Amino acid sequence: LFQWNLICDRAYLGATLQSCFFAGMLIGSLVSGLISDAWGRKKCFYLSYALMVVAGVSCVFVDCISFFAFLRFVVGAGTAGAMLSRYVLICEFVGPKTRTLIAIYGGFTWMTTELVNFAVAFLVRDWKMLLLIYTAPGVLAIFLWRWIPESPRWLVAHGYVDGAHSVIVKYGPKKGKESVDSAALSDLIQSTRQDQIKEEKESKKYTPLDMLRGEKLRKWTCIILYQWYLTTT
């Protein structure tokens, strides 16, 4: 606030900086979906996470308000990309019956994190130190790369059937439960892939505009957009 004299006739710059963050989230939400489909959920998550961490830490050492605004934009884009790709990655590991529970759990962890952030912000009044506390621990996620698998659904959809087979066998039921039948699983994956290829040839190509064409889908889209507006304001 005082470093860049964001008071009086320059007070609007504070709101502008916050708007840059949410503009980044908007762009990140759109771009991350394309990256996630093309490169994979895991790669998209880590790319977004890297952008968020690097840009977030860099904000601490910036003296130019214009460059700070750009970095906040990048942080917003990385945040949206990491959130969405992580959610999709988790949901594609579970069945339809547990996806609602996963979504509720994700919302609960988000709410809990926000409450912790409020407490930390109350105790730490220096904004640069606060940014470091929020951002720097994200570096630890890099060391989890080898333990986070790619989505088997994405692997099958892109023809990596052997990779999907390895992931399901590795993370499937273990001792005390019915183990995965490797041969039957391989046949199932091959059959699923062939069905996908057939559907891709026959199915219609959709665009974001299709969310506004049907009356029911248009209502759902407007409701979700309004919910996001309330969440981010």
Side-chain angles (χ1 to χ4, degrees):
L1 181 64
F2 297 104
Q3 178 177 346
W4 289 308
N5 195 29
L6 303 181
I7 56 176
C8 299
D9 59 336
R10 290 172 57 87
Y12 72 93
L13 291 175
T16 302
L17 292 175
Q18 191 69 1
S19 298
C20 289
F21 174 81
F22 289 116
M25 289 195 70
L26 173 63
I27 300 301
S29 299
L30 298 174
V31 175
S32 64
L34 301 176
I35 296 176
S36 179
D37 288 340
W39 296 353
R41 320 307 191 197
K42 179 179 177 179
K43 291 180 180 178
C44 180
F45 171 75
Y46 268 93
L47 175 61
S48 301
Y49 213 85
L51 287 175
M52 181 177 63
V53 172
V54 172
V57 173
S58 299
C59 286
V60 177
F61 305 100
V62 171
D63 292 326
C64 174
I65 189 172
S66 299
F67 192 48
F68 182 82
F70 169 74
L71 290 176
R72 291 299 295 168
F73 176 88
V74 176
V75 171
T79 300
M83 288 173 53
L84 295 176
S85 56
R86 179 204 61 182
Y87 176 76
V88 173
L89 177 60
I90 294 174
C91 285
E92 290 184 346
F93 264 97
V94 299
K97 293 182 179 180
T98 54
R99 285 176 190 164
T100 302
L101 181 62
I102 290 296
I104 295 174
Y105 173 75
F108 177 77
T109 55
W110 173 271
M111 177 189 66
T112 304
T113 304
E114 288 296 306
L115 293 175
V116 173
N117 288 344
F118 292 149
V120 174
F122 178 78
L123 298 174
V124 180
R125 297 308 176 95
D126 182 74
W127 69 270
K128 291 186 176 182
M129 181 59 65
L130 194 61
L131 276 179
L132 282 177
I133 293 174
Y134 286 162
T135 309
V139 176
L140 299 176
I142 297 175
F143 301 100
L144 300 177
W145 170 273
R146 60 178 298 181
W147 289 288
I148 298 179
E150 181 56 86
S151 164
R153 291 177 181 267
W154 183 88
L155 291 171
V156 172
H158 286 74
Y160 300 106
V161 292
D162 292 336
H165 181 273
S166 299
V167 170
I168 296 175
V169 169
K170 182 177 181 180
Y171 294 93
K174 303 298 181 182
K175 295 181 180 179
K177 297 182 179 180
E178 184 179 355
S179 60
V180 176
D181 187 332
S182 180
L185 175 62
S186 180
D187 293 339
L188 177 61
I189 292 176
Q190 292 288 351
S191 175
T192 301
R193 179 54 186 160
Q194 294 302 319
D195 291 340
Q196 287 180 342
I197 294 174
K198 183 178 179 180
E199 290 178 1
E200 288 173 0
K201 293 179 179 179
E202 299 175 353
S203 62
K204 176 185 175 182
K205 300 296 183 181
Y206 294 96
T207 67
L209 293 177
D210 288 294
M211 294 188 297
L212 302 175
R213 288 176 180 167
E215 181 179 356
K216 188 174 183 180
L217 189 57
R218 183 165 55 248
K219 289 181 180 179
W220 287 353
T221 301
C222 292
I223 291 172
I224 292 174
L225 290 175
Y226 180 65
Q227 288 177 333
W228 269 104
Y229 170 77
L230 295 178
T231 303
T232 56
T233 54

